Amino acid sequence: EGQLVESGGGLVQPGGSLRLSCAASGFTFSSYWMTWVRQAPGKGLEWVANIKTDGSEKYYVDSVKGRFSISRDNAKNSLFLQMDSLRAEDTAVYFCARKRPTYADSWGQGTLVTVSS
Amino acid sequence: QSALTQPASVSGSPGQSITISCTAPSSDVVGYKYVSWYQQHPGKAPKLMIYEVSNRPSGVPDRFTGSKFGNTASLTISGLQAEDEADYYCCSYRSYSTPWVFGGGTKLTVL
């Protein structure tokens, strides 16, 4: 089924940047689309971004377009989320997940991003 | 994005059955084809319980069943157990460019 481990979260000031990483193991990482989903404190789940197997296609929720960038390194079985111009409303636990055709079947434990001065 | 409406909370006693509904706007029935359900315990990652309306991943007990009629999908849990107490989220898949819309979540309490 695979394992996903996120890292890179922390406290950052509004307008700052952060880069999240997700290390994948136990499956052929390069064969799967990957995704980031976030969850604000006490709130529900929100899809953030998807990336195709080879990184050639990337999609974002409107609220992060132009500020966040998803990428991957298949040689290192790693997924990334570069987050710039961070806002208070970006405060959330960020989960990486393996994307299947219409669902996500394997999730990491998440990493907390707090945007506050 | 269309919103999916779930009840904020449901409850049941051990051994009983409960159903959690997930309703899409009536204008969105055509696109409401691929529904999945996720279970999330506090502080934990979501876990896939049902995909494409009624399919169970390997390892998910058959006490969990999914269905859909019109613009309402449902998750039924029979033979409630204490470990079923969690938040449950429905999710609708639209396309690869704007894939997922989640419901607001339902807190299941096992009395």
Side-chain angles (χ1 to χ4, degrees):
Chain A
E1 186 168 293
Q3 184 178 12
L4 299 167
V5 179
E6 302 92 338
S7 60
L11 175 63
V12 61
Q13 292 187 338
S17 298
L18 213 54
R19 188 187 194 219
L20 306 184
S21 299
C22 172
S25 60
F27 65 99
T28 305
F29 179 73
S30 59
S31 297
Y32 293 88
W33 285 64
M34 296 295 294
T35 190
W36 287 98
V37 174
R38 68 184 178 182
Q39 185 172 36
K43 302 296 184 182
L45 300 169
E46 180 186 35
W47 168 74
V48 174
N50 277 358
I51 186 168
K52 192 178 178 179
T53 52
D54 61 358
S56 62
E57 294 181 36
K58 305 174 184 181
Y59 302 98
Y60 303 90
V61 67
D62 285 347
S63 59
V64 308
K65 284 179 181 176
R67 300 188 300 120
F68 289 13
S69 178
I70 188 172
S71 62
R72 64 192 297 162
D73 184 338
N74 286 341
K76 296 183 177 180
N77 293 334
S78 295
L79 176 71
F80 306 101
L81 186 67
Q82 177 67 41
M83 304 185 296
D84 299 322
S85 303
L86 282 162
R87 307 167 180 167
E89 54 264 36
D90 296 318
T91 294
V93 174
Y94 286 73
F95 298 99
C96 67
R98 185 173 71 177
K99 182 186 179 299
R100 303 310 303 276
T102 65
Y103 53 94
D105 68 343
S106 184
W107 298 64
Q109 288 301 306
T111 186
L112 176 62
V113 173
T114 303
V115 184
S116 174
S117 55
Chain B
Q1 296 284 352
S2 302
L4 301 178
T5 301
Q6 297 181 235
S9 63
V10 299
S11 62
S13 300
Q16 288 186 332
S17 295
I18 62 94
T19 296
I20 300 172
S21 61
C22 175
T23 303
S26 56
S27 59
D28 200 32
V29 171
V30 173
Y32 192 43
K33 292 168 60 176
Y34 303 111
V35 181
S36 52
W37 290 90
Y38 300 87
Q39 176 193 66
Q40 187 181 33
H41 289 104
K44 301 296 186 181
K47 176 185 176 182
L48 177 69
M49 304 302 285
I50 296 288
Y51 66 96
E52 293 172 359
V53 177
S54 59
N55 297 285
R56 258 188 320 272
S58 172
V60 173
D62 59 7
R63 303 185 294 105
F64 291 82
T65 58
S67 61
K68 188 170 78 71
F69 182 77
N71 66 327
T72 298
S74 299
L75 173 70
T76 298
I77 309 173
S78 58
L80 269 179
Q81 299 181 6
E83 61 259 35
D84 298 334
E85 184 163 294
D87 293 325
Y88 290 84
Y89 294 91
C90 63
C91 181
S92 172
Y93 178 84
R94 301 304 302 276
S95 72
Y96 59 87
S97 59
T98 54
W100 291 309
V101 174
F102 290 93
T106 298
K107 181 176 180 60
L108 168 62
T109 300
V110 180
L111 302 170

